[in-house]
Amino acid sequence: MSTMSNPIIEEEFDEATLAAMYEDTFRNFEEGTITEGRVVAIQKDRVIVDIGYKSEGVIPMNQFLPDEIPTLAIGDKLQVYIEQREDSDGNLVLSKEKADKMKIWEELEVSHQEEKEVQGKVISRIKGGMMVDIGVKAFLPGSQIDLTPVRDLDGLVGKTFPFKIIKINHRRGNVVISRRALLEETRDKKRQTTLATLAEGQKIEGTVKNITDYGAFLDLGGIDGLLHITDISWGRVGHPSDMFSVGDRLEVLVLKYDKETGRISLGLKQKSADPWMDIAAKYPEGNRVAGKVVSLTDYGAFVELEPGVEGLVHVSEMSWTHEVRHPSRVVAVGDAIDAQVLHVDQQGRKISLGMKQTAPNPWDIIQARYPVGTRIEGKVKSVTDFGAFIGLDEGIDGLIHISDMSWTKHIKHPSELFKKTQRVEAVILRIDKEKERLSLGYKQLTPDPWESEIPSRYQVGATTTGTVAKIADFGVFVELEGDVEGLIHISETGQDSQSKLEEVFKIGDTITAKVVKVDIEERKIALSVREYSQETDTQDLEAFNSSQGSVDHSLGRAAKNKEGTAEPENE
């Protein structure tokens, strides 16, 4: 049996040819390059890959992502990196991890050249900015994070954003990215679109970007507009932050657009009709209305009657009977109240309201129930330097002025007669309904002693005795019987001009003087120690002279008897 020979097997090659053929098998398997391989075996800790080389390569299992391992199957094609064609044991060393990274770098370089977006996840905060994972670690400078400075950088960690590569160096492994560049591009596109369609009178939506004392800035889509505080509401706005928060979406009206400066004025209240139009017809004076207290000031309470319309209840219009020092003692924010329209100023956009007018006026009751001269009884509510306030059952306080406390006694302070909570009687003197004042008298409970009693008791020329009550620069006040005061003028004290009254007279001293004047209209009694002393001296002299004459007469009779001339005992 003849055997056919294989020409290829039988072909003889020289040594040079064989060497060339051997080298050709390594031509496509250079170290440091990426090639495609096929999974031929999956073991516990490694994956065997055939790249068409004389030997198969091994990739450690830890180079595969956790979500890749369950789906890995024999026959799968992989991009691998040739690290070594032969290690010390003659094995082919492959790396999937390096192949993936080289592929990522290639894609990043393409994205950089073509200015494409890349997705990245912020992984940490570092000095000067943030570290972001875009497949490789990239640096995000702080100035490139947003259009405006970000206060809470830590709050970005873990979030994913689109970025733009602004610098890349594969050899050094450096990548610098920017989020701001993309935001600026987006803003500019929106700005152009917004400006192309913007017109005065147009309704447009915006996002509250910033809030100030004078208004709120809205992002209208790449361009900002100002919603001034005066254009927020037809009613009163304390502060824009009371109405909005940053991030709120609002539909507003374009009031003015200056193309040269780019300034845009916005309005919110202009979306609805002005509620102050024909306000006088809607809220006639004298009508009773209902509202809600929205704010308090030292001088009153603002009450919302409807959205955009507020009225003021002044503190003086809150109570008929009590002096309201602060509205918080009567109402609180949020209270629903009834009030009466007192005055409407449509041009000034003001409405004056009254709360007390919704209840009966107690001054009408007082005027009808207590005519002037009526005796009343009440409790002392308070004592001041000028008088005592007496509370009546109707809730009104009347004043007993210090001048109406005593006909005769000089009252230094009302507390000498009245104490708080003390019940007293008084007489109605005057009722002033307009000024809401009630004047009472205490001394009027008894007849005026100056009309009859005092003039008859203290007649000019009579001598009286009293107690020193007060010493002044111009004289001495003396308390007489019946709580009447008399004045000894300094010229009537009988002292020379060099003497000081305090050195001669003491409080509490008993003193006798002569009544020199009684002024009923002025209710004053003038006394004189000087005249009293002169009169006493004259009386003493007359008494002395009288007694001296009797002595001389007795001596004469004795002399005659001695001479023997008898005189009858009774002539």
Side-chain angles (χ1 to χ4, degrees):
M1 182 176 177
S2 62
T3 302
M4 296 181 65
S5 62
N6 189 331
I8 297 177
I9 297 175
E10 292 180 351
E11 186 178 355
E12 293 183 0
F13 300 97
D14 58 26
E15 187 175 346
T17 302
L18 290 172
M21 292 176 65
Y22 182 74
E23 287 296 326
D24 188 58
T25 61
F26 296 101
R27 190 169 298 162
N28 296 323
F29 303 103
E30 296 290 335
E31 292 180 356
T33 61
I34 296 176
T35 189
E36 187 176 78
R38 183 172 60 87
V39 177
V40 294
I42 301 174
Q43 298 176 0
K44 183 177 180 181
D45 57 350
R46 60 184 182 172
V47 176
I48 310 301
V49 179
D50 179 18
I51 64 171
Y53 190 56
K54 66 175 183 176
S55 62
E56 295 167 342
V58 176
I59 300 175
M61 187 64 77
N62 59 16
Q63 291 191 11
F64 291 85
L65 297 175
D67 57 349
E68 291 178 328
I69 296 175
T71 60
L72 189 64
I74 294 174
D76 287 351
K77 292 182 178 181
L78 301 175
Q79 293 290 317
V80 294
Y81 176 83
I82 302 174
E83 291 197 78
Q84 285 182 289
R85 289 185 295 191
E86 290 185 7
D87 61 8
S88 58
D89 297 327
N91 296 321
L92 174 65
V93 181
L94 304 176
S95 174
K96 177 181 178 296
E97 188 176 50
K98 289 185 178 180
D100 290 343
K101 286 187 178 180
M102 288 186 69
K103 184 179 179 181
I104 290 172
W105 278 102
E106 290 174 359
E107 292 174 351
L108 293 178
E109 286 177 344
V110 172
S111 297
H112 176 50
Q113 292 173 2
E114 298 179 359
E115 298 186 349
K116 292 181 178 179
E117 293 181 8
V118 294
Q119 293 292 320
K121 182 178 181 180
V122 181
I123 55 178
S124 65
R125 177 179 178 179
I126 60 175
K127 184 178 180 181
M130 311 292 288
M131 186 63 71
V132 181
D133 182 5
I134 59 171
V136 297
K137 289 184 179 180
F139 175 59
L140 174 63
S143 61
Q144 298 298 317
I145 296 175
D146 208 328
L147 295 172
T148 57
V150 179
R151 295 181 180 179
D152 183 18
L153 293 177
D154 292 330
L156 299 177
V157 176
K159 294 183 178 179
T160 301
F161 302 100
F163 297 96
K164 186 175 183 179
I165 299 173
I166 58 177
K167 186 177 180 181
I168 186 169
N169 188 323
H170 186 184
R171 185 173 59 84
R172 294 187 178 182
N174 293 335
V175 182
V176 180
I177 58 176
S178 171
R179 179 169 174 260
R180 177 172 181 165
L182 290 177
L183 294 176
E184 287 176 344
E185 291 176 3
T186 303
R187 182 188 62 184
D188 291 341
K189 290 178 183 177
K190 287 183 178 179
R191 179 186 179 91
Q192 296 303 321
T193 303
T194 301
L195 292 177
T197 58
L198 197 65
E200 293 182 1
Q202 170 190 357
K203 287 184 179 181
I204 188 170
E205 280 197 355
T207 303
V208 178
K209 184 177 180 181
N210 187 28
I211 297 176
T212 68
D213 291 339
Y214 54 86
F217 286 93
L218 272 65
D219 181 359
L220 305 176
I223 189 170
D224 294 345
L226 173 62
L227 176 59
H228 197 269
I229 188 171
T230 57
D231 292 311
I232 292 176
S233 171
W234 291 112
R236 185 179 52 84
V237 177
H239 194 276
S241 60
D242 298 335
M243 307 292 291
F244 318 115
S245 298
V246 173
D248 286 353
R249 292 284 294 174
L250 301 176
E251 184 184 62
V252 292
L253 202 66
V254 179
L255 302 181
K256 187 176 181 181
Y257 170 39
D258 189 333
K259 293 184 179 180
E260 293 183 2
T261 62
R263 293 180 179 175
I264 303 173
S265 298
L266 306 173
L268 184 62
K269 71 180 184 182
Q270 289 81 359
K271 291 175 57 183
S272 60
D274 185 356
W276 285 87
M277 295 297 293
D278 302 323
I279 200 74
K282 191 182 296 184
Y283 297 101
E285 294 182 4
N287 268 27
R288 189 164 177 168
V289 294
K292 183 177 72 173
V293 178
V294 291
S295 66
L296 301 178
T297 66
D298 291 339
Y299 52 85
F302 285 94
V303 179
E304 184 183 56
L305 303 179
E306 63 177 84
V309 178
E310 294 178 6
L312 172 66
V313 181
H314 194 269
V315 287
S316 62
E317 303 296 342
M318 290 186 169
S319 174
W320 289 114
T321 58
H322 301 291
E323 180 183 356
V324 181
R325 296 184 179 180
H326 196 275
S328 60
R329 298 192 175 188
V330 180
V331 294
V333 173
D335 285 355
I337 65 165
D338 291 329
Q340 183 175 308
V341 179
L342 304 181
H343 179 67
V344 177
D345 179 1
Q346 182 167 326
Q347 186 174 357
R349 306 175 80 86
K350 296 177 181 178
I351 298 179
S352 297
L353 304 173
M355 289 174 60
K356 67 184 183 183
Q357 288 79 3
T358 61
N361 187 349
W363 289 95
D364 293 335
I365 301 173
I366 290 291
Q367 199 169 35
R369 185 177 297 177
Y370 303 112
V372 172
T374 304
R375 286 195 175 202
I376 57 94
E377 184 178 345
K379 186 182 293 185
V380 177
K381 299 289 287 296
S382 63
V383 179
T384 68
D385 292 339
F386 56 86
F389 286 94
I390 311 300
L392 276 64
D393 293 339
E394 290 74 16
I396 289 177
D397 293 345
L399 173 65
I400 302 177
H401 194 268
I402 192 170
S403 62
D404 289 310
M405 292 184 177
S406 176
W407 291 113
T408 57
K409 188 175 181 181
H410 177 69
I411 306 296
K412 296 179 181 179
H413 195 276
S415 59
E416 296 176 18
L417 292 179
F418 303 106
K419 304 297 179 186
K420 194 172 181 179
T421 71
Q422 175 186 348
R423 292 198 68 83
V424 298
E425 275 192 311
V427 176
I428 302 287
L429 300 182
R430 288 175 300 280
I431 299 175
D432 190 337
K433 180 183 173 182
E434 298 300 322
K435 294 183 179 180
E436 297 183 355
R437 293 177 182 174
L438 175 63
S439 299
L440 304 176
Y442 184 71
K443 68 183 183 182
Q444 289 80 0
L445 292 170
T446 58
D448 185 359
W450 284 93
E451 294 181 357
S452 58
E453 182 181 344
I454 290 176
S456 61
R457 180 185 297 176
Y458 300 101
Q459 297 182 1
V460 175
T463 299
T464 186
T465 301
T467 303
V468 175
K470 182 181 177 182
I471 301 173
D473 293 338
F474 54 87
V476 179
F477 286 93
V478 180
E479 185 176 345
L480 305 176
E481 185 181 352
D483 291 335
V484 180
E485 275 190 352
L487 172 64
I488 305 172
H489 192 267
I490 189 171
S491 61
E492 298 296 332
T493 59
Q495 306 298 317
D496 58 56
S497 59
Q498 302 299 322
S499 301
K500 292 184 178 181
L501 298 180
E502 292 85 350
E503 296 176 353
V504 179
F505 302 96
K506 305 295 180 184
I507 303 295
D509 286 354
T510 300
I511 192 169
T512 302
K514 189 175 181 180
V515 179
V516 295
K517 184 179 180 181
V518 178
D519 190 335
I520 297 175
E521 292 185 2
E522 294 291 330
R523 298 174 181 267
K524 294 179 180 178
I525 297 177
L527 304 174
S528 175
V529 173
R530 181 180 59 80
E531 288 194 16
Y532 171 74
S533 298
Q534 289 179 351
E535 182 178 299
T536 303
D537 291 345
T538 300
Q539 291 176 353
D540 289 344
L541 181 60
E542 290 177 354
F544 173 77
N545 291 335
S546 175
S547 63
Q548 190 64 37
S550 299
V551 171
D552 291 344
H553 181 66
S554 298
L555 290 174
R557 288 177 57 192
K560 288 181 180 180
N561 289 336
K562 190 175 181 179
E563 292 175 359
T565 305
E567 291 185 2
E569 293 181 3
N570 296 316
E571 293 182 354

